[in-house]
Amino acid sequence: MSAAPEAKYTEETVLWVEHHTPKLMTFAITRPESYRFSAGQFSRLGFRDGAGFIWRAYSVMSAEYADTLEYFAVLIENGPMSAKLAVLQSGDTVLLDKTATGFLLPERFPDGKDLVMLCTGSGIAPFLSILEQPEIWQRFDSLVLAHSVSYAGELIFNRRIADLQNHPLVGEYFRKLTFLPVLTRGQAAGALNKRLPELLKNGELAAAAGKPFTPQNTRFMICGNPAMVKDTFQALLDMGFAMHRNRVPGQIMMENGF
């Protein structure tokens, strides 16, 4: 008799859950010693659902070297996975696919001086992981993170980003980072107030970043809702930037949020 096939997932324990708003939550699970990922990649998380399973992809928010795996989820009304996550509690079990995937990796850029990370909603998660990697700070002269949400109450990572200045591995480079909160429906001091594509087109984003965006120096990473990704990509194409491909180096990488 042949042995049963090895499961492609592990069962992990939920360590903590935090609900920031009725729709926004973060949580952490145990990390198997064998689990490997690169900052910018995502995990497939799952639950048993009746006789089958339900799986969704979530970008890892924690650092490559962290002992636990952190995630950020936006709960969707009537979403099957959101219904599971909404009642998640410490001590519960989550299934973790053994293989991380994704190509939103800054090391794929062969050159560039300034890295600009553009995101909406949960699209900030991979960038929070990337910002905990010392290599990214050492490689680029400047880092810009623009996070676009509807209302100020959804900017739930402002403190986490500010705390990077005290981070034992990257704190010494913190002066290189410019964080630009963007609100599309509300108002708040220090926040920009148009969609990211418009802020690129009218020059406001570059002005707020404090330097021009040029194909020679600037590299863009985009992650978020598909409409933003599509419109931002088109805006950058119109500005003379090109998609990065392995055989044809460019200035843009992008990934739709999950």
Side-chain angles (χ1 to χ4, degrees):
M1 175 182 269
S2 61
E6 183 181 2
K8 295 182 178 180
Y9 60 85
T10 57
E11 296 191 14
E12 302 305 323
T13 302
V14 177
L15 299 173
W16 54 261
V17 178
E18 184 172 359
H19 291 270
H20 303 271
T21 75
K23 292 184 178 181
L24 305 181
M25 65 179 291
T26 51
F27 60 98
I29 63 174
T30 51
R31 176 179 182 174
E33 286 189 13
S34 60
Y35 192 78
R36 297 289 180 268
F37 73 95
S38 295
Q41 289 191 309
F42 55 85
S43 307
R44 290 181 72 241
L45 303 181
F47 295 95
R48 290 181 174 84
D49 189 41
F53 298 87
I54 180 171
W55 295 94
R56 294 290 185 273
Y58 293 91
S59 294
V60 185
M61 193 169 71
S62 44
E64 290 180 14
Y65 46 81
D67 294 332
T68 63
L69 297 171
E70 294 181 45
Y71 302 94
F72 173 30
V74 177
L75 301 180
I76 301 170
E77 189 173 359
N78 300 320
M81 190 68 168
S82 293
K84 301 279 190 184
L85 292 175
V87 296
L88 198 66
Q89 296 182 17
S90 176
D92 288 348
T93 297
V94 173
L95 307 181
L96 172 69
D97 190 303
K98 290 181 177 179
T99 303
T101 190
F103 300 98
L104 196 70
L105 306 171
E107 59 264 30
R108 291 178 57 220
F109 285 126
D111 55 8
K113 293 183 178 180
D114 308 311
L115 180 65
V116 179
M117 297 163 279
L118 307 176
C119 54
T120 54
S122 61
I124 193 175
F127 298 136
L128 293 175
S129 178
I130 287 169
L131 286 173
E132 291 204 49
Q133 296 303 123
E135 300 84 2
I136 202 72
W137 299 82
Q138 293 163 359
R139 177 182 168 191
F140 290 95
D141 293 345
S142 75
L143 303 174
V144 177
L145 173 63
H147 186 208
S148 177
V149 297
S150 295
Y151 301 102
E154 296 167 353
L155 291 168
I156 62 174
F157 296 110
N158 290 15
R159 172 48 52 191
R160 183 181 181 125
I161 293 165
D163 284 347
L164 288 173
Q165 63 190 309
N166 301 314
H167 192 288
L169 299 181
V170 305
E172 65 183 291
Y173 308 109
F174 185 75
R175 58 179 174 73
K176 291 186 175 185
L177 176 66
T178 301
F179 174 53
L180 302 175
V182 179
L183 302 179
T184 56
R185 295 183 183 177
Q187 298 278 336
L192 300 171
N193 290 108
K194 296 183 179 67
R195 291 181 69 235
L196 289 170
E198 281 67 46
L199 292 171
L200 284 167
K201 292 176 187 176
N202 67 16
E204 279 188 67
L205 200 67
K211 60 181 56 195
F213 296 156
T214 66
Q216 179 182 1
N217 294 328
T218 315
R219 301 295 173 262
F220 291 94
M221 301 179 74
I222 313 168
C223 188
N225 73 69
M228 183 281 288
V229 172
K230 176 177 178 291
D231 294 346
T232 300
F233 178 54
Q234 186 59 56
L236 289 172
L237 290 180
D238 294 342
M239 294 166 64
F241 297 91
M243 183 72 175
H244 175 76
R245 305 184 189 281
N246 288 337
R247 295 186 180 181
V248 185
Q251 302 86 33
I252 310 167
M253 281 184 217
M254 57 190 186
E255 189 171 83
N256 288 329
F258 308 107

